[in-house]
Amino acid sequence: MSKSKKELGLVNKTTLVSSLGISSQAFDKWGVNAREKRGRENFYAVFDVVQNRIENATQNLQKTSPKKGAKNEQLDQLDEDLLRAEKLREEIRALTLKNDILESKSMPVDIVFDVLSSIVTEQVTILETLPLLIKRHNSDLPSHVIEQIQKAIAQMSAVAATLEEKLHDKIEDLVATAEGKIK
C-alpha cells in the first residue's frame, strides 16, 4: 500500500476486521461500502465505518424511542382500556344488582310501587264493605254508628289514595340523601 493511501485512512478489509475484533461476515452485514477496490482486495475508509455505526445506532434509538404516532397509539390503547374498564364496571354493577334482587336484598322501585298499590287497593275494598258487614251481623246497631264507621273508612281511603305520591316523595328523598353521601 502506498503512502498516499495510508494518509487517506484507507484500510484493507482483513486489517479492519481484525482491529475491530469482528468476523468478516459480521462486517459484511454492516453494509459499509468500499472506497477502493484493487484486484480482489477492498479498501475502506475508517470514517465510513464510523459513520455507518453512528447511523445504525441512531436508527436503533429511533426504533426504540416512542414516536408521535406511537404516542397516539398508546393514547388510543389507553382510551380503549378505559372504555373496557367502564363497561366491565357497569356489568359488575348490573350483576351485583341482579344478585341483590335474587337474594331479596333489594327490589326495583317500580315493582315495590305495584305491590304496595295492589295491597292498598285490596285493603280499601275490604274497608269499604266493612260497614255493610257490620250492619248485617248487628242489625240493632244505630245508623249513626254505621255512618261514623263509613266516615272513618272514607278518611282512610283518602289517605290510601295519596300513598303512592307519599312513597314517591320518600324514595326521592332517600335517593337524594344517598347521592349526597356518595359525592
Side-chain angles (χ1 to χ4, degrees):
M1 193 192 256
S2 68
K3 188 170 187 164
S4 65
K5 297 291 181 193
K6 287 184 180 178
E7 289 173 9
L8 291 176
L10 295 179
V11 182
N12 70 4
K13 182 177 180 180
T14 307
T15 307
L16 187 60
V17 167
S18 67
S19 68
L20 290 172
I22 61 171
S23 68
S24 179
Q25 292 83 7
F27 182 77
D28 289 340
K29 289 181 182 178
W30 287 2
V32 179
N33 294 324
R35 283 270 181 114
E36 189 176 311
K37 188 171 187 172
R38 280 189 276 148
R40 291 179 14 185
E41 197 170 22
N42 291 325
F43 290 90
Y44 298 89
V46 174
F47 173 79
D48 291 341
V49 174
V50 171
Q51 187 67 31
N52 175 279
R53 293 294 82 206
I54 291 172
E55 288 173 4
N56 186 349
T58 304
Q59 287 175 354
N60 287 341
L61 282 176
Q62 287 176 350
K63 288 179 185 176
T64 58
S65 67
K67 299 176 183 174
K68 286 189 178 184
K71 286 183 181 179
N72 288 339
E73 289 175 13
Q74 289 175 345
L75 289 175
D76 291 343
Q77 183 64 38
L78 286 174
D79 287 342
E80 286 178 26
D81 291 345
L82 182 62
L83 287 174
R84 268 191 251 125
E86 287 294 324
K87 185 178 178 183
L88 185 60
R89 185 178 294 132
E90 286 299 317
E91 288 175 3
I92 290 170
R93 183 179 167 276
L95 284 173
T96 302
L97 184 59
K98 182 179 177 182
N99 287 339
D100 286 349
I101 290 170
L102 291 174
E103 294 171 3
S104 299
K105 292 180 182 177
S106 68
M107 187 62 61
V109 173
D110 294 341
I111 293 173
V112 172
F113 274 147
D114 292 344
V115 169
L116 289 175
S117 295
S118 67
I119 291 171
V120 168
T121 303
E122 287 176 25
Q123 290 176 343
V124 167
T125 304
I126 292 170
L127 286 174
E128 286 175 347
T129 60
L130 188 63
L132 295 173
L133 185 65
I134 291 173
K135 190 170 189 171
R136 237 185 268 146
H137 290 292
N138 301 306
S139 56
D140 58 340
L141 206 62
S143 62
H144 74 280
V145 173
I146 300 294
E147 288 174 5
Q148 287 176 341
I149 293 173
Q150 286 175 334
K151 196 181 223 183
I153 290 173
Q155 288 174 345
M156 284 188 240
S157 294
V159 169
T162 63
L163 182 64
E164 186 176 342
E165 184 179 319
K166 288 179 183 178
L167 276 174
H168 185 68
D169 291 343
K170 287 288 184 186
I171 289 173
E172 282 184 354
D173 290 345
L174 287 171
V175 169
T177 303
E179 285 177 345
K181 288 181 181 180
I182 291 172
K183 292 177 184 177

